[in-house]
Amino acid sequence: IPHEASFFPKRPEEKPSSLEMKLTNIDYYERTVSTMNKAQERLAERLFDEGVIKFGSFKLKLHEKNPEAPLSPIFFNLRTEDNPGKKGPLSPDLVSNIGRILYSLTNESQIQYQYIAGIPWAGDPFAEVVYHANRLFGGKAELLKLIKEEKEDGSRKIVGLADSDKIIRGTSVLLVDDLITKADSKFESIKVMEDAGLKVENIMVVINREHGTNDLKRAGYSLHSIFKILDLLNFYVNSNKISREKYNETIYYIYANK
């Protein structure tokens, strides 16, 4: 399989940076072979076609703390129309589709849990679907609800657990969220759960932006996702939903901001 030319044309005698060398070494094979199963591919198409995933220039949560950070060329809005914070395009049917695949991942990964909790607010609808699927197939997991507060300056923080009176200390809780960027809300949720006496071992998300994964891993937590961002980009460029130029731009952003 022929190797593509460098993403970055060089001026004469200019040596490529380590980042450019890393990007250049993403070979053609990686970009053409899909790692998704059919259910994932169908979901990826829906996310694109229904406006959940957009390409352009966007501010993310990380810009609240770092406003000078480069804008993201890709944006995921995995929220429902009735989300308490920012609204989103997710229909009940799409939430159900996502939640069922998340539940199947818990079985494939043999994750054991006595409680399920969404990381508010975007993770709550998915956690509810996982909970109902667990019960439908004979599970006995309970659904917990984390409390998120909005401060006067517009920032938000997860501050407590609404159902602390019904938990059994020492048991495991599965955390569910829409995506992971820098893992701040994940660590806020983990602290609340561990302070309540629960064990957190696994976090499940729809999309892994591949930014905060190492932080969770170093802290001893396992992250599971339906998609990694590179898998989605490979699928979209190979199905002609995005151009090769947009693909390259997004790849550069991901590696430059890891």
Side-chain angles (χ1 to χ4, degrees):
I1 300 173
H3 194 289
E4 291 189 334
S6 170
F7 292 159
F8 307 96
K10 293 285 171 286
R11 293 188 296 273
E13 299 182 0
E14 180 185 0
K15 292 183 179 180
S17 69
S18 59
L19 172 60
E20 292 170 338
M21 288 292 288
K22 187 174 185 180
L23 289 173
T24 301
N25 288 331
I26 299 175
D27 64 26
Y28 189 76
Y29 178 83
E30 183 179 31
R31 298 197 211 170
T32 54
V33 177
S34 175
T35 60
M36 298 184 194
N37 59 38
K38 293 300 181 183
Q40 288 173 312
E41 289 184 352
R42 287 193 295 269
L43 178 56
E45 288 182 345
R46 289 194 67 182
L47 295 179
F48 188 94
D49 294 342
E50 297 181 31
V52 176
I53 298 177
K54 295 182 178 180
F55 292 85
S57 297
F58 306 96
K59 287 186 176 181
L60 307 176
K61 185 176 179 181
L62 64 88
H63 290 98
E64 294 175 5
K65 293 183 178 180
N66 187 8
E68 302 302 318
L71 296 178
S72 173
I74 187 170
F75 180 70
F76 306 96
N77 189 352
L78 286 153
R79 302 181 183 92
T80 59
E81 294 179 354
D82 59 353
N83 185 71
K86 296 177 182 178
K87 310 304 178 186
L90 287 187
S91 64
D93 180 67
L94 189 48
V95 170
S96 181
N97 186 178
I98 292 169
R100 290 194 302 270
I101 294 177
L102 287 171
Y103 173 71
S104 71
L105 284 178
T106 67
N107 292 332
E108 291 172 16
S109 302
Q110 298 183 326
I111 298 173
Q112 301 298 314
Y113 53 95
Q114 287 72 48
Y115 298 100
I116 303 164
I119 296 179
W121 293 300
D124 289 332
F126 306 128
E128 290 177 14
V129 177
V130 174
Y131 161 73
H132 287 298
N134 173 271
R135 287 304 185 101
L136 180 64
F137 290 100
K140 297 182 179 180
E142 296 287 344
L143 184 65
L144 300 177
K145 189 170 183 63
L146 287 160
I147 301 169
K148 188 181 204 178
E149 291 183 352
E150 186 166 359
K151 299 181 180 179
E152 293 182 0
D153 62 3
S155 64
R156 302 182 180 100
K157 187 174 183 179
I158 298 162
V159 297
L161 183 61
D163 315 279
S164 57
D165 58 325
K166 70 178 186 181
I167 68 169
I168 300 174
R169 296 177 67 87
T171 52
S172 295
V173 57
L174 172 66
L175 293 177
V176 180
D177 206 0
D178 59 341
L179 52 80
I180 179 168
T181 302
K182 287 294 186 183
D184 291 349
S185 62
K186 313 299 180 287
F187 283 113
E188 288 177 6
S189 302
I190 289 168
K191 184 178 187 308
V192 168
M193 291 300 186
E194 292 180 343
D195 286 349
L198 292 169
K199 292 191 300 182
V200 180
E201 297 171 323
N202 297 281
I203 300 99
M204 186 158 286
V205 299
V206 183
I207 298 171
N208 178 3
R209 289 184 64 105
E210 301 184 76
H211 283 182
T213 308
N214 290 336
D215 294 337
L216 286 171
K217 186 176 181 179
R218 281 192 293 266
Y221 305 104
S222 297
L223 180 72
H224 311 265
S225 63
I226 298 177
F227 303 111
K228 290 183 178 179
I229 190 170
L230 188 57
D231 295 331
L232 283 171
L233 292 173
N234 289 341
F235 177 74
Y236 290 146
V237 74
N238 289 314
S239 57
N240 297 316
K241 289 186 176 294
I242 62 172
S243 67
R244 183 52 55 91
E245 290 73 23
K246 180 58 68 175
Y247 175 94
N248 291 347
E249 176 191 355
T250 309
I251 290 288
Y252 182 89
Y253 174 85
I254 293 168
Y255 278 94
N257 291 279
K258 274 199 169 187

